[in-house]
Each structure stands twice: as C-alpha cells, then as structure tokens.
Amino acid sequence: MTNELSTKFNPTEVEAGRYEKWLAAGVFEPGSNGSTSESHPYSIVIPPPNVTGKLHLGHAWDTTLQDIIIRQKRMQGFDTLWLPGMDHAGIATQAKVAARLAEDGILPQDLGREKFLDKVWEWKDEYATTIKEQWGKMGISVDYSRERFTLDEGLSQAVRKVFVQLYNKGWIYRGEKLINWDPKAMTALSDIEVIHKEIDGAFYHITYQIEGSDEFVEIATTRPETFLGDTAVIVNEKDERYKHLVGKNVILPIINRVIPILTDDHADMEKGTGVVKITPAHDPNDFEVAMRHDLPMINMMNNDGTINENGGKYEGLDRFEARKQIVADLKELGQLVDIKPVRHEVGHSERTGVVVEPRLSTQWFVKMDELAKNAIAHQRKKDGTDDVVAFYPPRFGDAYLQWMENVHDWVISRQLWWGHQIPAWYNEAGEMYVGEEAPEGEGWTQDADVLDTWFSSALWPFSTMGWPDENAEDFKRYYPTSTLVTGYDIIPFWVSRMIFQGLEFTGKSPFKRALIHGLIRDEEGRKMSKSLGNGIDPMDVIEKYGTDALRWFLSNGSAPGQDVRFSYDKMDAAWNFINKIWNVSRYILMNAEDVSADAVSSALTKVANKTAGNVTDRWILTRLNDTVERVTEQMDKFEFGVAGHILYNFIWDEFANWYLELTKEVMFGEDEAEKDITRAVLLHVLDQVLRLLHPIMPFFTEEIFEKLPNTSGSIVVAEYPKVRPEFNDDKASEGVAMLIELITAVRNIRAEVNTPLSKQVPIFIKSEQAEFLNSVAPYITRFANPSELVIAEEVVLDEQAMTAVITGAELFLPLKGLINIEEEIARLEKELAKWQKELDLVNKKLGNERFVANAKAEVVQKEKDKLADYQEKFDTVQARIAELKEN
C-alpha cells in the first residue's frame, strides 16, 4: 500500500531529509504559494542570533513562534517573506576567539588586527554553519536566498550612512565623558550592558588631614583605591559642623596631594559624616560636581583595571590588589577609622561578568534627546493614521515608553577590532573627517574603534531589505515588516533602538506588531545558565522526541510575555499527542485509501444538503468549523497556547475519541453508500486537522498529508482551513453533544458502582427529545451495552435506580441490575476504614505543634491539602453507604 503509514510514529524517520526537500522545492520563497504582487505582503526578519556558539532553547522558542506565524500566513495566501541572518556580536565573539587563541598561548596583539580578524571570520563561518544546521533541524521556513550578516557590505553601507547623517545633524558626537568600562574586554559599555548584582562589600572610613592643622575630616567610601583620583572634598553649605573648613584644603593620605574643601548640594548632611570625596574620573555623581566647580579630572586606572602612573607607588597593581594594600597602608598610618560590612548593588559587565569601572574616557556618543522625543511622540499617536507599533502583550509597550523616557546618551564606540570600524579619520594636524568613504589624500588614519553591535542591529529591519537604496524591491515591498518576535529582555537593547532608528531614517516604524515572549526556565523556575548546569540543548530534545514534539511544547508552554518552564513530562505528552494523531491517520488511511477528491467533494455536498450522511457527520463538520474559527482567531492574537488547547481538545476528544469511535457503527455495517460518506468525512476532517496543525508541527503533518489519497503538492503551500457555513448544523451539534453526555453519564454510573461495560444492564431514558435519541439508539447500544433500552418522554420505574440528569434527559439504571447491595456495602465499608486511617495519620501530623512550627510552609500546606482530599473521599463513601442502606 503506497500510502500506508508505519505502525508507530518515529520522528527520526519522518524528519530525515524532509527539510532538504522543502529547500529544493523552493517552498519557503515568496510566491511559492501562488501569491502575486496583488497579494498582501507579510514579512518577518529573524532576530539575528550571535555567531558566538550554538543556539540554545530560547532561540528554539523564538524561531518556533516566528515559523508558526509565517507558515500560517503562507498557507493563507499572503506574499510571505521570512528573512534569515546572523549578528557579528562584537564583544562576545571577539572574546570567544581570543579565548580559543589563548589556549595555544597566542594573544590578539601577537597577530595584529588583520590576522586576528581572519581568525574571527573563520570562527564566524564555523558557527554560522552550525546555526544553519540547527535551523534546519527546527524546520524554520526562511528564504536563504536573502540571508544577511551584520558585516555584509550592504549592511555596512547602511551603518556608515546612518552614522554620517546623525553626525551631520549633531546627534553623534565625540567627547570625554564618564562611561562604563569593562577592564577585561577593555572596552566601553552602554548603560544597558551593565548588570547590577548585589554583592558583599564594605564602607571604609578614612580620615583626611586639614592642611596646616591637626584637625581631620572623616569620609566613607566603598572604593578606597579611588582616593588616588580625588580632586576635592565637599560639604553642604548649610552644615554647621564644617563651615569653618570651607575654603581650606585637605591632604590626601599617602600621596600627599592637596585638594580643596568646597560646598555643594550633593553632600547630604544626613548621610554618613556629611563629607564626600570627589573622584570626577571614576564616579558619575562626582563627574557632575566637577563640571559645576571646574575641577581637574584625574584618571588613575589603565584600560585593564590596573593602577596607572597617577597612582604613585601603587602603579601597576590590579585595582582590587591596590585596594588591599591601600587599606593596609591607611591602617598603618592610623587614618583607617573603621570598616563596616555592607550588602550593595555593583555593576557587572553583561558579557565578561567582571565588575564594571566608571571611568572618564573619550568616546563616540549618540545624543538621544531628539531621537527619543520623536519616538515617544510617534508611539503615543492614537488617531489610527500612524503606524504605531502594537505590542503583544500591551504592557510591553508601556515598558518601551518608560525606557525611552529615561534614556541617556548612548555610548556607541567600542575598543575592539571585530565590528564596523567608525567612519572617522584623523591627521597629524589634528583635523577630523567623518564620511561614508575615506578622505582623499595621504596622512589620514581611521579611528581604531568599532561601533556597538546594537548600532548595526538597530538597522536590521530595513538594512536587510536593501536600504539605503529606497528603490530596492524588497524594501518597497516588505518594509515595514509585519511582526517582530523577541524576548522581553532585549526591549531596551534592540526593540527600542530599531524603532527610533526606523522612524528617523525611513519615516516608519520598522514593524507593525511586536510579539514579546519570556524566558525559558528549568522545571524549578530557575533561569538556565552554565553556572547552574541546568541548560538544555534543543538538539538533544529533538533527538529523543523529534522536532514536532518540541515545537508543540514550545508553542503551548505559556501565554505571550510569560516565561515557560521546560518539562520532560510535557515533552512526553507532546509525543503522545502526535502518536495519537498518527494512529488515527493510519486507521483512516487503511479504510479510505482509494477515495478520490471528487468523491470527497460530492459526499460533503450531500452531507451539507442533508441528502446523505448521519447526524454524527454533520456534528463533526460543525465542530470542525468552530475549531477553525476559534484557532484562527487565537493565532491572529498570537495566543498559540490557547489555539493549541482548542486543537488538542478537538483532535483528541471530539475527533479521535468520539467521532472515530462513532463511525465504527457505520464502518462495521453493511451499507456501502453510508460507508462512502463516512470515509469522505473522515478524510476531509483529517486533511483539515493536518493543515491546522502544520504551522506548529510541520514534519509529521507533511508526512501524513502527502499520503492522503486526494492531495498533491506540499502542505507548506496548501490552503489554510476556512470556515464553511454550509457545514454548520446547530441541531446536529446539540444532538450529538447530548448523546455524548448521555454515554459519559452511563459510564460514570457504571464506574461508581463498579460494574464493567461488559456486563449488560437495563437503561431507561426520559426525554422530550425521545425521537432523536431513538434515532441514535444504535450508538447508545454500542457504547452503553444495555440489556434493555427504553427511551420515552415519560418513564415510570417501580424499583430503586441510579440516576443522572444531563442536558435534555434523565437516566435511570436500576440498582438490581447493577450490584449486590450487601457486597457493595461491605466493600465500601472497607474503603471507608482506609480513608479514616489516612485521616488519622494526617490529623496526627498537623496536631504536632513542633511539625507545624518548624516545617516549610509548602510542606504544611501539602498536608492540609491531603486532609481536605481524604475528608472529601471519606464523606463521599459514607454518603454512598447511607444511600445503599436506605434502599
């Protein structure tokens, strides 16, 4: 049988070679679905992963969500483009390559800039290949013919143009300011590249002697080594304690430099001693004080965090080693008054993890006031005429605005070799030239620094489309992009910058919607990290469960904006769901292998016109319509978890557990015409189910789809299901819903009285819809196994019976036919004793005051939950015994 499926779902077999077939067929390219220039465009640019290593589970989640969106839109007939690419990731990649070279005892300086960059390009090629292999495993439907890299010449041209235009407007400038410095990477960092961590530190109380006096003032600092760069001390002019000292000088201990005592409001009389040391080159507040008082700014630290020539005898020491020696020397001099432990927040480099050093440095900056003001004003327009970005969930739009309202000037220069070299040149005469190309003539040297990686990434949505050529076909057709998918952790890093750069250079927001997701965490809710050893390689998960199972889990794991906890139990459930669909498909294909497309179409028309088929056929088609409508609605809102829940319930419960079983009444019968109708409906619903599932789980849906007897081509470009009003039949839907509720009620009664389905029992049904229920009596007989079945508008019984009330009917199952009452009472009394024993144990534990006082709150609550559960079961059994004794 050519369309037969294997007996068990094997993801390895199903996925092998499938991605390569899709690429060869070109089904991911615009127009592959038959779309034309008249079709509505829908575009996504991938958040470019860094070429620093393999993709992690967070990347798998991010790309899965994008692929779901673009696959559905492709099937819906949109002219779709999903553009792939990668980011050079300046600091991170350079650090990785430097670390690899260090293993062989080689420093970047040993190679020089050009040869070192050759090594970085080798690294990039290696990991770009790995990332593309992982993309293939994930099945992402990107158009590789448009693949971009942030250091491509086209993108580099865009970067240079943006830099020069902002410079010419006065919005990029070069100046000496206090910045965040990473002593390990030896480069400047922007504010959002600094992670603040709480660590143990100390306040060091030090005395400074008043010049020409035996008097001292006391200051407190967490960084005593910075006194090497002090240029003043300040007090508040209202502070009566120090008015007599204003205008005098203090002598810095050890180095004996004389500095003035000034007044400034920055000195808080209520905080510490009220005397504050001012180190302008190494503290942002001190820098502002120095600007107000025109103080000198002494940089006392080298790029690598060692003390420089301004540090006297401490020159060459690491900053923390210098701290230890300075503290020891101050103690010996008697000028260390006290050391008080403190727990405080300290900035750390996001990339290298070292403590960041505030440091005066000459850098390039983007002046943010106008850019931020324009972006905020644009986002707040609510008149419907502007392309305001719609955030999902909306609260992240507020987060974006909050960050933009508090943004500082952006330091964009980095002291690296890997990246876009700043398009500025200098000559010996002290002149500077900024331009897209090098200046003519000799004697010009280009600025050695490169741009912050986020500077080029901010241009990604339009630089990848061919800008600055505004006539580029992709730019005209697909920009602004339709949807951005990314994590909430990079709203300030990337999302914000894309928006204000897009508005500035294209006049439009770079995307119409921004779907913001959370982070992947482990089962305990912890962030995955190397230090915790709880990271999970998505490729390992795929090897065990298959890509489709991983994608199903990732798409159903949480609501937009929420974190998701990885769970192997949920992965098992995802695989089981696919296996269920696989087995359903095998059954349908085995029974409908020769049904043609014309036969299906004809049969569906007859069912819609009620000239053929039965109530269950009309019910499942109605339920399919409802599923299509609700799933499409939720997908449009990016509520993939809700859409998945709807699909799961329809496929597992209504289609597999009910309709498929109900059809066996027909399939095992002798009416061939009715069988043909049922086969057609089965095939149609399976076809539609596969199409609904395909954006989420592409591999196995394609495998089954191509084996359907009446399909051709790839499901990738098949039409997405639409609601077909001719199939809606509310009466059939209500009728079968009652039938299912009735059968379920009978099963529940049987379970309650421990009577297996194999034992026939009399069933009496009282209903005003007796005529309908009698028409479906064969189903009731098959699924409820009555020894006698009576369905009437009035039912009178002379004996005690188990009863159930359902929508539109009452059920009666005589007790005599179900149980031996004496035996059942004896069984229930044993069960009652069991629950009493459990209650006694829990009550004893909760009655122990020591346990309640010392155990964790969650442990005590768990015992309380057990108590409630056992009490409910005890009460239910006790009530049942009383009911049986009354009978």
Side-chain angles (χ1 to χ4, degrees):
M1 188 183 298
T2 57
N3 60 354
E4 185 177 1
L5 293 174
S6 58
T7 55
K8 185 179 180 182
F9 170 61
N10 184 328
T12 303
E13 291 180 1
V14 168
E15 295 168 14
R18 176 69 61 189
Y19 193 70
E20 290 71 24
K21 289 180 181 178
W22 284 330
L23 292 179
V27 291
F28 300 156
E29 298 170 12
S32 61
N33 59 346
S35 61
T36 66
S37 59
E38 301 300 316
S39 304
H40 192 73
Y42 197 101
S43 58
I44 297 176
V45 290
I46 202 166
N50 297 339
V51 289
T52 48
K54 297 178 181 179
L55 300 183
H56 52 66
L57 206 54
H59 289 115
W61 188 16
D62 193 73
T63 53
T64 293
L65 297 182
Q66 292 170 76
D67 199 33
I68 290 170
I69 295 168
I70 209 73
R71 282 181 182 269
Q72 186 202 31
K73 296 303 178 186
R74 186 184 292 117
M75 294 175 76
Q76 289 176 327
F78 286 82
D79 176 22
T80 55
L81 168 63
W82 186 12
L83 189 148
M86 301 177 203
D87 195 299
H88 65 281
I91 295 176
T93 306
Q94 180 157 325
K96 291 276 190 180
V97 176
R100 177 183 279 186
L101 290 171
E103 293 174 1
D104 296 326
I106 301 172
L107 295 174
Q109 302 92 297
D110 298 336
L111 296 177
R113 185 171 194 142
E114 295 306 318
K115 289 185 178 180
F116 176 75
L117 289 178
D118 288 341
K119 294 294 183 182
V120 187
W121 278 106
E122 289 175 11
W123 173 283
K124 179 266 177 185
D125 292 341
E126 176 185 343
Y127 280 95
T129 299
T130 299
I131 289 170
K132 289 178 73 170
E133 288 173 353
Q134 291 182 295
W135 280 347
K137 284 282 190 181
M138 289 300 303
I140 70 170
S141 56
V142 292
D143 179 6
Y144 284 110
S145 70
R146 289 170 164 86
E147 184 181 355
R148 298 290 183 266
F149 182 56
T150 47
L151 290 179
D152 285 349
E153 177 48 40
L155 276 67
S156 297
Q157 181 188 354
V159 168
R160 293 193 298 271
K161 187 175 186 69
V162 166
F163 186 98
V164 172
Q165 286 192 10
L166 289 177
Y167 176 80
N168 290 338
K169 291 184 76 168
W171 292 359
I172 280 183
Y173 64 94
R174 188 171 186 254
E176 190 176 46
K177 292 181 68 173
L178 205 72
I179 51 89
N180 304 298
W181 185 262
D182 182 332
K184 184 174 182 181
M186 290 194 288
T187 185
L189 302 174
S190 64
D191 290 344
I192 53 177
E193 291 173 303
V194 178
I195 308 299
H196 291 275
K197 300 178 184 178
E198 199 173 72
I199 65 172
D200 291 322
F203 268 120
Y204 298 87
H205 290 254
I206 305 168
T207 57
Y208 288 4
Q209 185 176 5
I210 308 299
E211 185 183 30
S213 164
D214 291 335
E215 191 175 356
F216 290 80
V217 290
E218 182 181 327
I219 61 97
T221 178
T222 58
R223 298 190 298 156
E225 68 279 7
T226 61
F227 92 93
L228 300 169
D230 285 1
T231 57
V233 296
I234 60 170
V235 296
N236 194 293
E237 65 177 351
K238 298 176 183 178
D239 198 329
E240 296 292 336
R241 294 172 295 176
Y242 304 114
K243 276 193 172 182
H244 67 291
L245 297 178
V246 176
K248 295 184 178 182
N249 298 321
V250 296
I251 303 170
L252 290 178
I254 305 172
I255 59 174
N256 299 319
R257 186 165 66 243
V258 177
I259 60 175
I261 302 172
L262 308 172
T263 60
D264 193 279
D265 289 342
H266 177 59
D268 187 343
M269 292 186 294
E270 305 299 322
K271 190 174 180 181
T273 63
V275 183
V276 180
K277 63 189 284 297
I278 300 300
T279 319
H282 295 278
D283 183 276
N285 293 317
D286 295 2
F287 177 80
E288 297 299 328
V289 172
M291 295 294 288
R292 289 195 289 271
H293 296 278
D294 196 26
L295 294 173
M297 302 190 189
I298 301 174
N299 189 336
M300 37 70 65
M301 198 172 294
N302 294 312
N303 289 350
D304 62 356
T306 57
I307 306 302
N308 65 16
E309 67 279 3
N310 293 318
K313 71 175 187 174
Y314 305 106
E315 181 179 359
L317 292 179
D318 174 78
R319 52 185 169 156
F320 297 120
E321 182 58 36
R323 176 181 299 179
K324 292 178 185 177
Q325 293 203 24
I326 287 169
V327 168
D329 291 344
L330 288 169
K331 188 174 183 180
E332 186 175 337
L333 287 171
Q335 289 186 260
L336 180 67
V337 178
D338 197 5
I339 301 175
K340 294 181 179 178
V342 65
R343 185 87 177 159
H344 63 147
E345 282 198 345
V346 174
H348 290 69
S349 169
E350 182 207 22
R351 292 298 183 187
T352 65
V354 301
V355 172
V356 167
E357 191 67 40
R359 184 169 181 262
L360 191 67
S361 180
T362 300
Q363 302 286 342
W364 288 91
F365 298 86
V366 174
K367 191 176 181 182
M368 285 301 304
D369 49 2
E370 288 298 319
L371 287 164
K373 184 173 71 175
N374 295 342
I376 291 166
H378 184 90
Q379 185 66 15
R380 285 186 169 151
K381 290 180 180 179
K382 302 292 184 183
D383 58 9
T385 61
D386 223 80
D387 59 329
V388 173
V389 177
F391 282 85
Y392 295 81
R395 69 177 183 275
F396 288 113
D398 297 333
Y400 156 70
L401 284 172
Q402 184 178 18
W403 187 80
M404 291 299 295
E405 288 164 352
N406 294 282
V407 73
H408 301 105
D409 283 4
W410 173 18
V411 56
I412 54 172
S413 47
R414 298 290 181 269
Q415 288 62 55
L416 305 170
W417 287 343
W418 176 242
H420 294 99
Q421 198 167 349
I422 289 174
W425 288 260
Y426 314 95
N427 63 17
E428 292 182 358
E431 297 174 314
M432 182 176 74
Y433 171 82
V434 174
E436 293 183 49
E437 304 297 335
E440 294 181 0
E442 297 182 359
W444 292 94
T445 302
Q446 188 170 359
D447 195 309
D449 289 352
V450 300
L451 287 163
D452 177 12
T453 298
W454 298 106
F455 189 91
S456 52
S457 297
L459 318 180
W460 186 252
F462 53 93
S463 64
T464 54
M465 297 288 186
W467 189 92
D469 179 4
E470 296 188 359
N471 291 315
E473 288 300 318
D474 281 356
F475 181 74
K476 290 194 297 181
R477 178 68 175 157
Y478 299 112
Y479 184 86
T481 62
S482 304
T483 300
L484 169 77
V485 180
T486 194
Y488 60 62
D489 54 327
I490 58 172
I491 291 175
F493 286 92
W494 192 44
V495 178
S496 305
R497 288 164 173 168
M498 282 191 288
I499 294 175
F500 71 67
Q501 293 285 51
L503 290 172
E504 174 64 22
F505 290 97
T506 72
K508 298 176 182 178
S509 297
F511 31 82
K512 298 168 186 175
R513 289 164 291 275
L515 170 59
I516 308 297
H517 59 76
L519 304 177
I520 292 275
R521 300 186 179 275
D522 67 12
E523 291 191 71
E524 297 177 31
R526 300 174 302 174
K527 188 176 180 179
M528 292 185 177
S529 67
K530 289 182 179 178
S531 60
L532 290 174
N534 61 347
I536 293 172
D537 188 334
M539 298 302 111
D540 292 341
V541 180
I542 288 172
E543 186 175 348
K544 182 175 181 180
Y545 293 96
T547 299
D548 289 323
L550 176 59
R551 287 172 59 118
W552 176 259
F553 162 74
L554 292 171
S555 65
N556 284 274
S558 73
Q562 299 298 313
D563 293 345
V564 63
R565 293 189 181 192
F566 183 81
S567 164
Y568 281 108
D569 286 343
K570 290 180 180 178
M571 285 304 309
D572 289 333
W575 187 93
N576 287 335
F577 179 47
I578 298 172
N579 196 53
K580 177 83 168 181
I581 302 167
W582 186 268
N583 289 331
V584 166
S585 302
R586 284 190 72 245
Y587 169 80
I588 294 172
L589 289 171
M590 287 168 61
N591 287 281
E593 62 173 327
D594 299 323
V595 180
S596 67
D598 289 342
V600 171
S601 178
S602 174
L604 293 177
T605 300
K606 292 175 183 178
V607 173
N609 295 333
K610 299 182 182 178
T611 58
N614 58 45
V615 68
T616 63
D617 298 326
R618 296 194 293 278
W619 165 74
I620 197 64
L621 292 174
T622 303
R623 297 303 307 136
L624 175 63
N625 260 351
D626 179 70
T627 301
V628 169
E629 182 177 24
R630 292 167 64 209
V631 166
T632 304
E633 178 185 356
Q634 295 302 324
M635 295 278 275
D636 286 344
K637 295 190 294 186
F638 306 127
E639 290 283 359
F640 304 121
V642 178
H645 183 70
I646 294 167
L647 276 169
Y648 182 93
N649 287 342
F650 174 74
I651 295 166
W652 192 291
D653 295 334
E654 295 179 316
F655 184 47
N657 284 0
W658 283 108
Y659 181 68
L660 207 69
E661 293 303 314
L662 291 168
T663 63
K664 291 178 181 178
E665 183 65 24
V666 173
M667 299 301 288
F668 297 159
E670 297 180 359
D671 189 329
E672 293 301 321
E674 197 170 359
K675 286 182 184 180
D676 288 342
I677 296 294
T678 297
R679 291 189 187 101
V681 174
L682 282 167
L683 277 173
H684 173 71
V685 176
L686 176 59
D687 172 277
Q688 297 294 286
V689 161
L690 294 173
R691 294 174 194 237
L692 287 169
L693 284 171
H694 176 73
I696 305 172
M697 299 190 284
F699 286 97
F700 94 93
T701 51
E702 174 83 292
E703 179 77 9
I704 298 171
F705 183 82
E706 68 182 10
K707 288 181 167 54
L708 296 182
N710 49 21
T711 57
S712 61
S714 171
I715 195 173
V716 175
V717 291
E719 184 180 7
Y720 195 76
K722 295 177 181 176
V723 172
R724 296 180 60 174
E726 70 272 21
F727 290 159
N728 282 337
D729 189 329
D730 292 339
K731 188 175 180 181
S733 187
E734 291 169 5
V736 176
M738 180 169 63
L739 171 64
I740 290 171
E741 191 178 359
L742 186 153
I743 293 169
T744 302
V746 172
R747 289 174 171 176
N748 288 342
I749 292 172
R750 282 178 170 276
E752 187 177 345
V753 295
N754 200 26
T755 301
L757 190 60
S758 58
K759 180 179 179 180
Q760 290 190 322
V761 295
I763 300 174
F764 296 84
I765 304 171
K766 176 185 176 181
S767 175
E768 292 182 359
Q769 299 183 53
E771 183 179 354
F772 167 75
L773 289 174
N774 275 301
S775 72
V776 294
Y779 295 112
I780 300 173
T781 299
R782 170 177 284 275
F783 291 100
N785 194 20
S787 59
E788 176 186 7
L789 178 61
V790 176
I791 305 172
E793 292 188 9
E794 291 295 334
V795 172
V796 179
L797 291 180
D798 296 329
E799 57 184 305
Q800 293 293 324
M802 296 290 289
T803 64
V805 178
I806 65 168
T807 304
E810 288 182 73
L811 312 183
F812 304 91
L813 279 71
L815 288 171
K816 184 178 179 182
L818 291 175
I819 57 174
N820 180 306
I821 293 178
E822 290 76 14
E823 289 180 359
E824 182 64 6
I825 290 174
R827 185 186 71 80
L828 289 172
E829 285 178 338
K830 287 182 180 178
E831 190 172 342
L832 191 71
K834 181 185 78 170
W835 293 124
Q836 182 63 62
K837 185 177 179 180
E838 296 288 358
L839 282 168
D840 291 343
L841 289 171
V842 178
N843 276 317
K844 184 178 180 181
K845 185 176 285 188
L846 290 173
N848 184 333
E849 293 181 4
R850 175 179 281 182
F851 167 76
V852 174
N854 297 326
K856 291 183 179 178
E858 56 265 32
V859 174
V860 175
Q861 186 58 50
K862 190 174 181 181
E863 293 302 315
K864 289 180 178 179
D865 293 342
K866 281 184 185 178
L867 179 65
D869 180 44
Y870 296 156
Q871 187 65 57
E872 182 182 356
K873 289 172 178 173
F874 180 89
D875 293 344
T876 300
V877 174
Q878 192 174 53
R880 180 68 184 139
I881 291 171
E883 182 182 305
L884 290 173
K885 286 183 177 179
E886 286 177 10
N887 293 330

